[in-house]
Amino acid sequence: MTKDIVILGIESSCDETAASVVKNGTEMLSNVIASQIDSHKRFGGVVPEIASRHHVEQITIVLEEALTQAGVTMSDIDAIAVTEGPGLVGALLIGVNAAKTLAFIHNKPIIGVHHIAGHIYANRFETEMTFPLLSLVVSGGHTELVVMHEHGKFEIIGETRDDAAGEAYDKVARTLGLTYPGGVQIDRLAATGEDTFRFPRAMMNETDYDFSFSGLKSSFINTVHNLRQKEMPINEADLAASFQASVVDVLVAKTIRAAKEFSVTQLLLAGGVAANQGLRERLIKETALEIPDVQLIIPPLTLCGDNAAMIAAAGTVLFEKGTHGDLTMNASPGLLFEDTY
Ligand code: KG4
Ligand code: ZN
């Protein structure tokens, strides 16, 4: 019998302070998340300085809670996995320094994890990964199509040329006066409206796998401003449905085409926007129709946003490969996938 691998994960790249204990990369023993959303709401977005302060206040509480809920002590932990980047430098530093401190005191290996690798590995709590696979990563800071041929190796085949999908959601939500983060509210409004505005579907028919959402965002904002200037009624539900239809059309079309071209066995959805109901429903429908042999995996809603279980899951794979950092590790706000693995 092989020995269990128990990893403590830490995530602090943006506005969630999180710690989690994961056994063998798939069994979540605890998953503690302290969200700061309420503190950032009144500013309409994440304020880096406030985020850092919250992380400092929360990190030890969250770590203790994660160990207690898992029923383990540091002596049961094989390694500490922490988000090394990308993200806000001041926020990342809190997690990285907490990880380094624990690693030093308890003499444990430390593993730096790329935040997006974490989002992809959230799917491992649903089903074991099989290769080759394609992951559609849609978060507040990233929109990427990633092909994997083995654990821990990522090939970005397409990405956004401007705004990330989540960022576009949050900006159009703000135009309608919705509170940060507005993505989920646009999603809810969209469910009650119709695609009457027919906004552009940027780059949908181009042969590459890149995306662009800033033109769509501008069309949306201009439409709202024009309606306001003319003092015409604003149908928020139809606006939201039209925006969402454009985003989902492009994401789904390009993802299905890439899944076919790369002959993948699985299609994984990852990142905060993976919580989007419209996107989830369309992917389920189109995958069944267009690529029925490809297994679609969608993380549970609780693991779509930032959490540390996904960081521990990705860290487990690196631990198994024998890849780890040391106490010279630093926060890396612009960390690239290619640099980590
Ligand atoms: O992955 P995440 O928690 O943070 C980053 O790594 O960026 O993603 C946060 C993003 C925010 O932009 C938020 O508005 C968006 O995910 N989001 C959604 C939904 N839930 C969260 N966007 C659209 N529909 C949703 N249901
Ligand atoms: Zn994230």
Side-chain angles (χ1 to χ4, degrees):
M1 212 178 75
T2 51
K3 187 192 165 297
D4 287 330
I5 298 172
V6 183
I7 304 286
L8 171 65
I10 301 176
E11 153 66 36
S12 71
S13 65
C14 190
D15 56 352
E16 259 93 30
T17 321
S20 163
V21 178
V22 171
K23 194 159 109 182
N24 298 326
T26 55
E27 205 182 317
M28 210 185 308
L29 302 185
S30 64
N31 187 28
V32 180
I33 305 170
S35 171
Q36 318 171 352
I37 283 178
D38 285 343
S39 303
H40 298 287
K41 247 181 195 162
R42 62 198 169 105
F43 301 105
V46 176
V47 182
E49 182 62 19
I50 294 176
S52 309
R53 283 165 195 253
H54 273 283
H55 287 306
V56 170
E57 282 166 18
Q58 292 297 319
I59 191 80
T60 46
I61 303 167
V62 164
L63 277 163
E64 263 181 34
E65 188 64 25
L67 292 169
T68 308
Q69 280 187 18
V72 299
T73 65
M74 280 307 296
S75 61
D76 301 308
I77 301 293
D78 290 301
I80 301 154
V82 61
T83 307
E84 195 177 355
L88 302 170
V89 66
L92 288 165
L93 271 170
I94 315 299
V96 167
N97 280 316
K100 279 164 53 169
T101 308
L102 283 174
F104 178 67
I105 297 172
H106 299 281
N107 195 22
K108 305 282 179 190
I110 182 169
I111 300 165
V113 173
H114 190 285
H115 182 75
I116 297 304
H119 274 301
I120 293 173
Y121 271 87
N123 284 282
R124 212 174 165 204
F125 294 105
E126 273 301 294
T127 304
E128 191 50 84
M129 288 150 88
T130 63
F131 304 100
L133 66 77
L134 174 72
S135 183
L136 170 63
V137 178
V138 270
S139 75
H142 293 257
T143 303
E144 281 153 8
L145 277 169
V146 180
V147 170
M148 290 176 69
H149 290 280
E150 60 176 279
H151 276 302
K153 286 230 180 305
F154 308 89
E155 185 194 343
I156 299 174
I157 59 159
E159 62 194 326
T160 183
R161 296 199 183 162
D162 39 59
D163 290 3
E167 190 183 354
Y169 264 96
D170 294 340
K171 284 185 182 157
V172 303
R174 199 169 163 172
T175 311
L176 294 182
L178 303 172
T179 49
Y180 176 84
V184 65
Q185 298 171 73
I186 293 286
D187 190 12
R188 280 194 207 117
L189 270 174
T192 63
E194 297 289 333
D195 177 12
T196 52
F197 289 89
R198 297 299 299 172
F199 290 125
R201 268 77 173 148
M203 304 180 71
M204 186 159 83
N205 297 317
E206 287 175 29
T207 49
D208 63 16
Y209 294 112
D210 284 347
F211 302 99
S212 166
F213 296 107
S214 80
L216 166 64
K217 180 191 68 187
S218 301
S219 294
F220 183 101
I221 294 172
N222 290 340
T223 304
V224 173
H225 286 171
N226 278 334
L227 289 169
R228 278 194 188 133
Q229 255 167 9
K230 292 178 190 154
E231 294 180 359
M232 286 167 71
I234 294 179
N235 186 331
E236 293 191 350
D238 284 357
L239 276 165
S242 304
F243 172 82
Q244 181 143 308
S246 169
V247 174
V248 171
D249 273 0
V250 178
L251 289 176
V252 172
K254 289 209 153 178
T255 302
I256 299 277
R257 194 150 47 75
K260 286 181 185 165
E261 186 184 323
F262 287 84
S263 305
V264 297
T265 58
Q266 283 182 338
L267 172 57
L268 275 53
L269 189 56
V273 185
N276 186 275
Q277 289 305 324
L279 178 60
R280 292 164 88 99
E281 282 162 22
R282 273 284 296 287
L283 263 185
I284 292 169
K285 199 171 130 210
E286 300 280 329
T287 306
L289 273 175
E290 296 272 337
I291 42 172
D293 296 336
V294 177
Q295 184 186 20
L296 175 66
I297 310 176
I298 299 181
L301 286 178
T302 47
L303 293 180
C304 289
D306 291 346
N307 65 84
M310 68 186 197
I311 302 301
T316 306
V317 166
L318 295 177
F319 182 77
E320 285 172 314
K321 286 183 168 215
T323 315
H324 47 78
D326 56 38
L327 295 180
T328 63
M329 184 192 288
N330 202 354
S332 183
L335 187 68
L336 300 173
F337 251 154
E338 295 81 353
D339 294 343
T340 21
Y341 303 96

